[in-house]
Amino acid sequence: MWESENESVGGRDYGNGVLTTTKHGVETDGFEQRGQSWYVAADIPSDLLVQIGDVSFHLHKYPLLSRSGKMNRIIYESRDPDMSKIVLDDLPGGSEAFELAAKFCYGIAVDLTATNISGLRCAAEYLEMTEDLEEGNLIFKTEAFLSYVVLSSWRDSILVLKSCEKLSPWAENLQIVRRCSESIAWKACANPKGIRWQYTGKPPKVSSPNWNENSSPSRNQQVPPDWWFEDVSILRIDHFVRVITAIKVKGMRFELIGAAIMHYAAKWLPGLIKEGSGTGDDGSNSSNSNGSSSSWKGGLHMIVAGTKDDPPTVQAKDQRMIIESLISIIPPQKDSVSCSFLLRLLRMANMLKVAPALVTELEKRVGMQFEQATLADLLIPSYSKSETLYDVDLVQRLLEHFLVQEQMECSSPSRQSFSDKHMYDGVQRGTNPNAKMRVARLVDSYLTEVSRDRNLSLTKFQVLAEALPESARTCDDGLYRAVDSYLKAHPTLSEHERKRLCRVMDCQKLSIDACMHAAQNERLPLRVVVQVLFSEQVKISNAIANNSLKEAGESQYTPMVSNRKSLLEGTPQSFQEGWAAAKKDINTLKFELETVKAKYLELQNDMETLQRQFEKVTKPKQGSAWTSGWKKLSKLTKMTALDAHENGSQIPNTEQTRKTPRRWRNSIS
């Protein structure tokens, strides 16, 4: 506690703009308040009324003029020595700060604390209470308290910086914000093992700072690295940015900075985090204090509701400023914040119409770690005039950023930062071939979901499906599900459009279950069904031919089964139920197919038997030349006998003479 000296101040004569002490000071027992007015408990009646807003102070001239250059100048410039009223509506700190400054002028003890020091320091600067008028004036006392008491304390630095929110631009010009920010940054970057000051920490259900003796860590208690998150999250966004910038300069680990940013966003942006909406505190802005924010429960439902009932203008403006500031201070290193957080931030940025340059920068950040995204985070509604329910163009841009980043990392690995190479060994996308496969599964699941929108054009579907290279997909079951879902939602497609749609998938990459389902799918074009059946026939033939290598065959089909399971996990529950019902039909068709194959083999054996019998029957008809000659001679003899019978008398003799040789020929034949 700083106490101003009880001085016997003589009176001052007013002349030529200079005040000199000529009379004794006013002795008082203190101030007393009556409604909105303050009075000095003194025997001498007041001769000066100071009006600050709705509060009035009935004071005496001489105590104020002896220590305030501002009061001297106002009275001097008025050219009225009997001036009795002064209005100071622009005084920083308001009536509370002026009350303390007036008590100081009267010699009353003033208790300086972290909550009133910033306002009193700005008020002293406004009133020009310098050393030129009085040694040990209010500016000197407040500066000493700031330098030696506030800046050496973690708690006081936070509270003073919080109190500076209503003192702009005075607190900025007096370097109070800068000095407090650097003090906080220095303490935040200190080794947690050496921390002995009080801090709030991060309790599960605490929304406002509450410093007490119990919050101070004991010597044996281990301090977590995120001990400072909750304390700095009570600051306004511009002061939070100042603190984070100072922490960056001092070399704090980028993942801790990113975690602090996510903690701040969860507190000040209701609905951003899926687990629950942020809760406000005494120092929150309008976005936290607004009653309508209680309906913001996070996730997609909250955002869709926001399109119908737009938030108030002030709330939207504050949230837009927070989002723009957070985007600008996110560390550039990959994985400094999660991809889910970036996508949720991007969703709110599109809803609140954030500056396009910052949105583009955020999209590039998402592209750097796009393989970490989930389907729920990608289902971003379209807030533009587009007819589609979801922003498919945004996902297309994110995928393009991912492919560009992937190509850059593969072509020049030296571009990876030092921290990436040492902090995330074995997880780098440039050296991880599974990154594209994860993105392919994610895109297939996204296409399955958005394909139900009847306003989604075939071109957008096809462009997004063909954006990834063929090597990214080892199995096209996910694409087949998306195509089938699109065909269900768009039954009026022409034959040409259905063929064009089916070109996005490769029939040879379909699993056995998908092929069986496609074989009975009436929505597919006939040509595609034929291709599927041919592909399946080839697979069955190869399996039969390699039946002797059973172990090799099992190892070959194992990854396909696991891929199919992982693909089913990424699809909606309703589609999974439909797929389960289709699998029952597929099993039935499998049994029927085996029966048909067995019947086909039996018919083939019967056909071979009939063919052999036919060959045996036709073989005796092919006789030798002698046999054919005898048959011709017999035929000729028969014709000669008929002619002789017609001539009459010689018929009996001729028949008798030729009967014996004909019987002999017949016996030989």
Side-chain angles (χ1 to χ4, degrees):
M1 181 179 70
W2 291 89
E3 295 183 0
S4 59
E5 298 82 8
N6 291 325
E7 300 175 350
S8 177
V9 180
R12 294 186 178 185
D13 292 332
Y14 179 79
N16 298 326
V18 178
L19 296 175
T20 59
T21 303
T22 57
K23 296 182 180 180
H24 294 288
V26 179
E27 295 182 359
T28 178
D29 295 333
F31 282 33
E32 59 181 12
Q33 186 178 13
R34 302 170 190 172
Q36 293 292 327
S37 301
W38 286 88
Y39 294 88
V40 181
D43 297 334
I44 303 175
S46 61
D47 57 356
L48 180 63
L49 175 64
V50 180
Q51 187 76 27
I52 302 176
D54 298 334
V55 182
S56 58
F57 294 85
H58 298 269
L59 307 173
H60 303 83
K61 288 183 181 179
Y62 293 139
L64 297 179
L65 298 179
S66 64
R67 293 191 174 184
S68 174
K70 178 82 170 179
M71 294 295 187
N72 277 274
R73 192 170 66 257
I74 290 175
I75 295 178
Y76 173 74
E77 291 175 354
S78 67
R79 301 295 180 180
D80 182 11
D82 298 329
M83 184 178 182
S84 60
K85 184 177 181 180
I86 298 176
V87 179
L88 301 176
D89 289 336
D90 57 344
L91 185 141
S95 59
E96 296 84 359
F98 184 78
E99 176 195 348
L100 298 177
K103 288 180 179 180
F104 178 82
C105 292
Y106 277 88
I108 301 175
V110 177
D111 188 10
L112 299 181
T113 63
T115 56
N116 64 21
I117 185 61
S118 58
L120 190 56
R121 172 67 184 89
C122 295
E125 189 72 21
Y126 176 87
L127 295 172
E128 301 175 11
M129 304 176 70
T130 63
E131 296 295 293
D132 297 337
L133 296 176
E134 190 76 26
E135 185 178 355
N137 211 342
L138 189 57
I139 291 179
F140 172 79
K141 294 292 183 67
T142 52
E143 272 294 331
F145 187 83
L146 278 171
S147 300
Y148 296 105
V149 179
V150 171
L151 298 181
S152 62
S153 170
W154 168 263
R155 180 196 67 177
D156 292 345
S157 299
I158 294 285
L159 288 179
V160 169
L161 190 56
K162 181 67 179 175
S163 65
C164 290
E165 295 177 358
K166 300 178 181 179
L167 299 172
S168 300
W170 289 90
E172 285 283 353
N173 297 335
L174 295 175
Q175 304 296 319
I176 299 177
V177 174
R178 181 188 62 80
R179 287 182 289 173
C180 289
S181 299
E182 291 183 353
S183 173
I184 294 170
W186 180 83
K187 294 177 177 63
C189 294
N191 189 348
K193 295 182 180 179
I195 293 176
R196 292 293 177 267
W197 51 77
Q198 297 177 0
Y199 65 93
T200 302
K202 196 169 61 174
K205 294 184 179 180
V206 173
S207 60
S208 60
N210 182 19
W211 291 280
N212 50 49
E213 295 299 329
N214 295 330
S215 64
S216 179
S218 62
R219 295 194 177 185
N220 296 328
Q221 181 181 358
Q222 185 177 4
V223 180
D226 59 349
W227 63 268
W228 52 277
F229 288 5
E230 184 66 24
D231 291 343
V232 299
S233 66
I234 71 171
L235 300 175
R236 198 173 64 184
I237 183 60
D238 55 339
H239 294 162
F240 177 77
V241 170
R242 295 288 293 273
V243 171
I244 293 297
T245 303
I247 288 176
K248 282 183 180 180
V249 173
K250 298 186 182 300
M252 171 77 71
R253 289 183 298 167
F254 67 86
E255 62 269 18
L256 274 180
I257 295 176
I261 293 173
M262 289 190 290
H263 183 83
Y264 186 89
K267 191 180 186 70
W268 288 81
L269 296 174
L272 178 69
I273 304 302
K274 179 170 58 177
E275 288 74 16
S277 59
T279 56
D281 54 18
D282 295 338
S284 14
N285 61 0
S286 60
S287 65
N288 299 78
S289 59
N290 195 332
S292 63
S293 63
S294 60
S295 62
W296 252 358
K297 299 299 182 183
L300 181 59
H301 180 269
M302 177 275 298
I303 296 298
V304 172
T307 60
K308 297 179 180 178
D309 299 326
D310 292 332
T313 304
V314 176
Q315 180 184 3
K317 183 178 179 181
D318 291 341
Q319 290 186 347
R320 186 186 306 116
M321 182 177 62
I322 292 174
I323 292 176
E324 292 177 350
S325 301
L326 293 181
I327 294 174
S328 63
I329 62 174
I330 294 177
Q333 291 86 354
K334 178 191 172 185
D335 295 328
S336 57
V337 293
S338 66
C339 185
S340 178
F341 171 76
L342 292 174
L343 284 168
R344 296 176 192 277
L345 201 62
L346 181 59
R347 174 183 297 175
M348 292 196 71
N350 288 333
M351 182 182 67
L352 297 173
K353 303 294 189 275
V354 172
L358 292 175
V359 173
T360 301
E361 180 65 25
L362 191 57
E363 291 176 359
K364 291 181 180 179
R365 291 300 308 270
V366 175
M368 291 175 59
Q369 46 198 101
F370 191 54
E371 71 276 10
Q372 302 171 6
T374 61
L375 176 60
D377 296 331
L378 282 183
L379 295 176
I380 301 176
S382 178
Y383 298 104
S384 61
K385 296 181 180 180
S386 176
E387 296 180 353
T388 57
L389 178 63
Y390 298 106
D391 198 343
V392 181
D393 294 333
L394 173 61
V395 177
Q396 175 68 28
R397 292 195 300 270
L398 296 178
L399 186 57
E400 290 175 357
H401 290 311
F402 166 78
L403 295 174
V404 170
Q405 188 69 23
E406 178 78 13
Q407 186 176 4
M408 290 174 59
E409 290 187 2
C410 292
S411 60
S412 48
S414 61
R415 294 191 179 213
Q416 296 176 2
S417 62
F418 179 86
S419 56
D420 283 339
K421 294 180 180 179
H422 292 78
M423 295 290 295
Y424 301 96
D425 290 338
V427 193
Q428 302 172 20
R429 188 174 70 240
T431 58
N432 188 4
N434 294 326
K436 287 185 179 179
M437 297 181 182
R438 289 196 296 269
V439 171
R441 291 194 293 268
L442 178 64
V443 171
D444 293 345
S445 300
Y446 179 79
L447 286 172
T448 303
E449 190 68 28
V450 301
S451 62
R452 302 174 184 177
D453 184 6
R454 295 191 176 183
N455 294 326
L456 180 64
S457 65
L458 177 60
T459 302
K460 286 188 177 182
F461 183 94
Q462 187 177 8
V463 169
L464 186 58
E466 295 177 347
L468 286 169
E470 295 183 1
S471 59
R473 293 183 178 92
T474 57
C475 180
D476 278 7
D477 284 11
L479 268 181
Y480 170 69
R481 283 196 298 272
V483 169
D484 187 48
S485 178
Y486 190 88
L487 289 173
K488 286 181 182 178
H490 301 78
T492 59
L493 290 178
S494 63
E495 184 71 14
H496 174 72
E497 289 174 335
R498 288 191 296 159
K499 290 181 180 179
R500 176 183 163 194
L501 175 66
C502 294
R503 290 195 193 103
V504 300
M505 64 178 180
D506 187 359
C507 297
Q508 296 182 358
K509 289 185 178 181
L510 296 179
S511 64
I512 297 178
D513 293 343
C515 287
M516 298 300 293
H517 185 274
Q520 60 174 351
N521 194 343
E522 298 178 355
R523 291 178 292 271
L524 294 177
L526 181 60
R527 179 175 183 140
V528 176
V529 175
V530 172
Q531 291 178 352
V532 170
L533 292 175
F534 177 77
S535 175
E536 183 64 17
Q537 183 64 31
V538 171
K539 291 178 183 178
I540 294 176
S541 300
N542 292 335
I544 295 175
N546 298 328
N547 193 24
S548 58
L549 304 175
K550 184 176 180 181
E551 295 180 358
E554 291 177 353
S555 63
Q556 179 180 359
Y557 281 96
T558 299
M560 187 176 296
V561 175
S562 62
N563 285 338
R564 186 167 66 254
K565 290 182 179 179
S566 61
L567 285 170
L568 285 174
E569 292 174 357
T571 57
Q573 184 66 26
S574 60
F575 195 87
Q576 291 187 27
E577 294 175 357
W579 186 263
K583 286 189 66 176
K584 294 180 180 179
D585 298 337
I586 289 173
N587 293 331
T588 304
L589 289 174
K590 279 184 178 180
F591 177 76
E592 293 178 358
L593 181 63
E594 295 296 332
T595 304
V596 170
K597 285 176 59 179
K599 291 182 178 180
Y600 172 76
L601 293 177
E602 292 179 1
L603 291 174
Q604 191 174 9
N605 293 332
D606 293 341
M607 180 179 176
E608 292 177 355
T609 303
L610 290 174
Q611 187 174 3
R612 287 194 297 270
Q613 292 178 356
F614 178 74
E615 291 178 354
K616 290 180 179 180
V617 170
T618 56
K619 188 174 181 181
K621 293 181 180 181
Q622 297 175 357
S624 61
W626 289 99
T627 305
S628 59
W630 282 111
K631 287 181 178 181
K632 291 180 180 180
L633 184 59
S634 174
K635 190 175 182 179
L636 182 60
T637 305
K638 195 173 183 180
M639 293 176 63
T640 306
L642 291 174
D643 294 339
H645 180 71
E646 293 177 356
N647 293 329
S649 59
Q650 295 179 357
I651 292 176
N653 295 331
T654 306
E655 289 179 355
Q656 290 178 1
T657 56
R658 294 184 179 176
K659 280 181 182 179
T660 302
R662 187 172 62 183
R663 291 195 194 101
W664 177 71
R665 286 197 303 272
N666 291 337
S667 63
I668 293 177
S669 61

